[in-house]
């Protein structure tokens, strides 16, 4: 189980590295902007206003082009992040189904039948043995406890950071 997850993490790291990598066009625009800004800083606005304004227009044009490239990269990055989140949620739910399928005949907890009286058959699902807790309810209970603990730890961490 660990090997596929490690491979998934490596693939995600490679994809993120490729996405975050600057294109040659982006690098050339940044260097050109630096050169133009340095050139503009050397010009006195009062003496050579026309040249200064021309450089400012070039800088504005290059800045707009660079911003549009970064915006498209950001859209791609957000799309991939959402895809990864959805994929991980699907994988998570698939693991639940697989867990329930593999342990459907084995009760997780044995209890006295009196303790589970009105809901004995429902709690025993899918094993069907009365007086037991089946894997489905066990997974649900564990998920709820984990979610509650996560929420509790998160709120305590935020309170600690605020103090």
């Amino acid at each position: 189980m660990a090997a596929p997850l490690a491979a998934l993490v490596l693939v995600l790291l490679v994809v993120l590295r490729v996405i975050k990598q600057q294109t040659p066009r982006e690098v050339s625009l940044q260097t050109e902007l630096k050169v133009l800004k340095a050139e503009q800083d050397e010009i006195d606005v009062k003496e050579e206003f026309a040249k200064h304004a021309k450089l400012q227009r070039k800088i504005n044009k290059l800045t707009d082009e660079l911003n549009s490239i970064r915006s498209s990269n950001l859209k791609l990055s957000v799309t991939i992040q959402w895809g990864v989140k959805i994929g991980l949620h699907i994988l998570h739910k698939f693991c639940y189904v697989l867990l329930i399928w593999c342990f459907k005949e084995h009760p997780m907890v044995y209890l006295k039948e009196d303790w589970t009286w009105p809901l004995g058959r429902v709690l025993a699902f899918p094993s069907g043995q009365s007086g037991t807790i089946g894997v489905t309810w066990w997974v649900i209970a564990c998920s709820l406890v984990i979610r509650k603990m996560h929420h509790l730890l998160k709120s305590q961490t935020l309170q600690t950071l605020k103090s």
Side-chain angles (χ1 to χ4, degrees):
M1 184 72 181
L5 288 176
L8 178 66
V9 168
L10 287 175
V11 168
L12 289 175
L13 287 174
V14 169
V15 168
L16 288 175
R17 189 173 298 140
V18 168
I19 290 171
K20 295 291 182 183
Q21 188 177 16
Q22 290 183 333
T23 62
R25 178 68 180 147
E26 224 175 329
V27 173
S28 69
L29 284 174
Q30 286 176 341
T31 55
E32 197 173 339
L33 270 172
K34 285 180 185 177
V35 168
L36 287 175
K37 286 182 180 180
E39 189 178 331
Q40 188 182 34
D41 288 342
E42 293 174 5
I43 296 173
D44 186 23
V45 180
K46 294 178 183 177
E47 292 179 11
E48 300 180 71
F49 179 76
K51 190 173 182 182
H52 187 274
K54 186 176 180 181
L55 283 175
Q56 186 61 46
R57 286 192 298 273
K58 283 183 183 180
I59 290 172
N60 291 344
K61 181 181 173 188
L62 292 177
T63 304
D64 290 344
E65 188 176 347
L66 190 60
N67 287 340
S68 69
I69 291 172
R70 287 181 178 162
S71 174
S72 66
N73 289 346
L74 181 66
K75 288 177 187 176
L76 178 65
S77 176
V78 168
T79 303
I80 289 175
Q81 284 177 352
W82 273 100
V84 167
K85 275 186 178 181
I86 290 170
L88 288 176
H89 280 293
I90 290 171
L91 179 66
H92 185 244
K93 300 313 176 203
F94 176 74
C95 287
Y96 277 165
V97 170
L98 187 64
L99 184 68
I100 290 169
W101 180 261
C102 289
F103 293 99
K104 67 182 176 186
E105 296 175 6
H106 305 285
M108 295 289 113
V109 178
Y110 292 95
L111 301 169
K112 293 182 182 178
E113 287 187 35
D114 298 347
W115 292 1
T116 62
W117 169 63
L119 302 172
R121 301 296 264 169
V122 174
L123 291 175
F125 179 77
S127 69
Q129 299 175 15
S130 61
T132 63
I133 306 291
V135 68
T136 306
W137 293 104
W138 185 257
V139 167
I140 291 171
C142 289
S143 297
L144 290 174
V145 168
I146 289 171
R147 189 176 303 137
K148 197 63 152 172
M149 291 298 292
H150 177 262
H151 178 70
L152 189 76
L153 289 173
K154 190 176 174 182
S155 65
Q156 285 182 350
T157 305
L158 288 175
Q159 289 176 356
T160 308
L161 291 174
K162 287 180 182 178
S163 313

